[in-house]
């Protein structure tokens, strides 16, 4: 009688605790930051000064080099 009560108590508590932790971790995904620049390994011309650069930053609808980007 004594052993049976202890078993039920421990089992129930462990089960509830584990499912709580799982839910928290599964929904804890961090949204990736919005992409603000494009990467072109071969280079691409800046929309403002036409300098060919590997990395161009979003500036409205344009993709510009870091020198033309309005920080
Ligand atoms: Zn530029």
């Amino acid at each position: 009688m004594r052993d049976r009560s202890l078993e039920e108590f421990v089992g129930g508590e462990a089960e509830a605790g584990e499912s709580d932790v799982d839910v928290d971790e599964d929904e804890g995904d961090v949204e990736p930051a919005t992409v603000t620049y494009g990467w072109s390994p071969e280079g691409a011309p800046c929309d403002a000064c036409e300098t060919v650069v590997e990395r161009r930053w979003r500036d409205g609808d344009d993709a510009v080099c870091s020198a033309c980007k309005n920080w």
Side-chain angles (χ1 to χ4, degrees):
M1 176 110 178
R2 204 189 227 179
D3 286 345
R4 192 175 167 192
S5 298
L6 183 64
E7 220 171 278
E8 285 174 3
F9 175 74
V10 172
E13 189 179 52
E15 203 176 299
E18 271 182 36
S19 66
D20 280 351
V21 171
D22 283 348
V23 169
D24 284 350
E25 289 185 353
D26 287 346
E27 294 181 355
D29 290 341
V30 179
E31 283 256 325
T34 306
V35 176
T36 54
Y37 68 85
W39 176 262
S40 305
E42 294 166 15
C46 164
D47 284 345
C49 70
E50 298 187 343
T51 298
V52 174
V53 291
E54 290 183 349
R55 192 183 311 189
R56 295 184 305 165
W57 301 82
R58 278 253 155 253
D59 188 19
D61 291 332
D62 296 335
V64 299
C65 69
S66 60
C68 295
K69 172 87 174 96
N70 284 320
W71 304 102

